[in-house]
Amino acid sequence: MRSLSKVLLFALISHFGVLPAQNTPVFDEFLYHGKNSVNPGMFQYSNPILPGCYPDPSICRVGKDYYLVNSTFGYYPGVPIWHSTDLVHWKQLGYVLNRPSQLMLKDCKMSGGVYAPDIKYNPHNRTFYMITTGTGYGSTTYVKTDDPKKCNWSAPVALPSVGGIDPSLFFDEDGKAYILNNDAPAYEPLYSGHRAIWIREFDWRNDRVVGEAKVLIDGGLDISKQPSWIEGPHLYKVKGKYYLMAAEGGTGPNHREVILSSDSPMGPFKPCAINPILTQMGLSSDRIDPITCAGHADLVETENGEWFAVFLAVRPARYGHENTGRETFLLPVKWNDDQPVILEKGTTVPYVVDMTPEMRRLSKDNTIKGYEPYAPALLWTSEGLSKDAVFIRTPVGDFFTIEKNGQLRLKPKNVCIDQFGNPSFIGRRINSKNFYAQTTLAYTPKSKQEFAGVVCFQNDYCYIQFGKTMNEKGEEVLQLKSFSGKEKKELKDEYECLLSRKEKKQKVYLKVEVQTPEEYTFSYAFGRPDSWMVLGKVKSSLLSTLTAGGFTGTTIGIYATTNSRNFGR
């Protein structure tokens, strides 16, 4: 009788979408589909190579294998790691910081957490290192592994004497190693944004820094012009000469990459003849489909001696507003006057790039299918969460289960998404100006504090929630609410739909899509997705970095709480 009841229940759900009342939200599949606005040819690739909030790229090569990492800020797991053999097809191996013991984010801001990771290989002990800044939760730390493909990195090694942000490693041919980082200058700053690039020796045999730290760059290329935020340093050795590359101008429209050279890793460093070697600063603001804020680069050399740069840039949708965050781009590097140049001054970052002869050769031998960022993608399957899935800060407790039929049960927490904690949220990065996301929800709320549905999340002050709850009268409703504010959350829009007796017993389909560049449309259907009804539209700029501040892009996913604070009522 019990097995027969299960069969009848499954048939009822499948045919009519009718479910028994329940307090644990149950989601069917969550489908996301972004769209690419360009179509590269056979011997071309499209930028960005990693669309969505994948900023601050760092890259290294060992043999035929290239590895790349990105910042993750307040999201968990930390530091996605990518693998390629041709620089075009990238496959995500997983995350470097994939255990709570490696990354415990409790109450930091979403733009705190993991800043600017750097990945480098030490040939002297055949070990990979990833070093990063623990902003708001710890000090500079690094982890290491003998094989990134295992996704099993060591416990963090703390370096409390290395302050500031953006640490990077350099392993020299003579066995010595160095750590570079951004920090305050050695004296009282002269102006807002006055920073310095420091260097100190790193004893990799004993996991410690040694000797005195030294300033390599004070302020920027020309301190008399008061350049702001010299950061993201990387050191290279090419044909016996040392090159120090860094970003200045802040990670906004004035972002630019500069380079200096020296005969010693400890300096003194002299600016190269051509600077900046990458920027979109000063270009026409009314150009079509602009790419802006380019900088924070890292260089890599192929086996055959070609050079490439990965860097971050932004694709604003309109008037400087962008929801996809800072993304990873790739360009070949030219050497002029014994120095690298990523992009000539006044040139726009291209969306479509011709492969170099070396890239064609590498692609011919490539066996990695690679990441298809704009293909329809599920947030989870019966096998588990996808590699796209992220949590807001480090997960606390077990709050979801995935059934064999692919349904996900999301246990609501007494944590609201604006409380700087770990809410019951599972999401992924929005990676396109034009996308849609759809899921199905079965849920019966019991009070106005309970909510379950979809959320578009930028940070703890700026987000949009769309799902089922109860109103002040104790009536079950479908609700759309948006909040905004850099420091104080304010209710911006609210829409409600009172549910009928029949609709309360049915699954509800929820869809978020971009119908115009200026707004997100939120639609629903009951029972089956035959005809969609629009509940409301919200300006997409609400979720942009320009509105919200900080360094992260927008994520979208599922969310449930028993502590929904109904602002604006």
Side-chain angles (χ1 to χ4, degrees), residues 150-320:
K150 295 178 182 177
C151 278
N152 185 22
W153 293 70
S154 71
V157 179
L159 298 173
S161 63
V162 181
I165 59 172
D166 298 4
S168 68
L169 287 160
F170 173 68
F171 296 98
D172 209 343
E173 298 165 345
D174 60 4
K176 289 187 176 181
Y178 305 88
I179 293 177
L180 298 91
N181 66 293
N182 155 300
D183 208 344
Y187 52 93
E188 188 70 22
L190 300 178
Y191 54 88
S192 176
H194 179 191
R195 305 290 285 179
I197 298 299
W198 295 74
I199 190 171
R200 67 202 77 204
E201 194 170 339
F202 172 53
D203 179 3
W204 51 266
R205 293 178 179 86
N206 296 293
D207 290 320
R208 63 181 184 178
V209 294
V210 294
E212 294 294 323
K214 180 183 179 181
V215 171
L216 294 182
I217 305 177
D218 184 4
L221 287 191
D222 185 353
I223 196 170
S224 67
K225 296 181 180 179
Q226 299 191 350
S228 65
W229 284 99
I230 189 76
E231 58 189 347
H234 291 287
L235 189 61
Y236 312 93
K237 188 176 185 180
V238 183
K239 296 180 180 179
K241 184 180 289 187
Y242 294 90
Y243 290 88
L244 172 56
M245 189 174 73
E248 64 176 34
T251 186
N254 294 326
H255 207 196
R256 53 194 182 270
E257 199 72 15
V258 298
I259 197 157
L260 309 88
S261 65
S262 175
D263 293 325
S264 166
M266 300 299 288
F269 279 87
K270 179 182 178 181
C272 292
I274 304 171
N275 271 304
I277 60 172
L278 167 70
T279 189
Q280 296 292 273
M281 178 180 64
L283 298 181
S284 172
S285 60
D286 60 355
R287 63 192 190 276
I288 299 174
D289 292 329
I291 293 172
T292 64
C293 309
H296 201 111
D298 196 5
L299 304 179
V300 67
E301 184 182 15
T302 70
E303 287 184 289
N304 286 358
E306 285 194 0
W307 285 81
F308 291 86
V310 290
F311 58 94
L312 70 80
V314 166
R315 296 178 293 166
R318 192 172 180 85
Y319 304 123

Side-chain angles (χ1 to χ4, degrees), residues 243 259 272-275 277 333-341:
Y243 290 88
I259 197 157
C272 292
I274 304 171
N275 271 304
I277 60 172
V333 174
K334 297 178 181 179
W335 284 81
N336 296 327
D337 298 329
D338 294 326
Q339 72 155 95
V341 175

Side-chain angles (χ1 to χ4, degrees), residues 2 48 105 134 159 199 230 265 268 280 364 408 419 437 466 523 563:
R2 185 177 300 171
L105 302 170
L159 298 173
I199 190 171
I230 189 76
Q280 296 292 273
K364 183 179 178 181
L408 187 146
Q419 288 184 300
F466 173 44
S523 306
N563 186 19

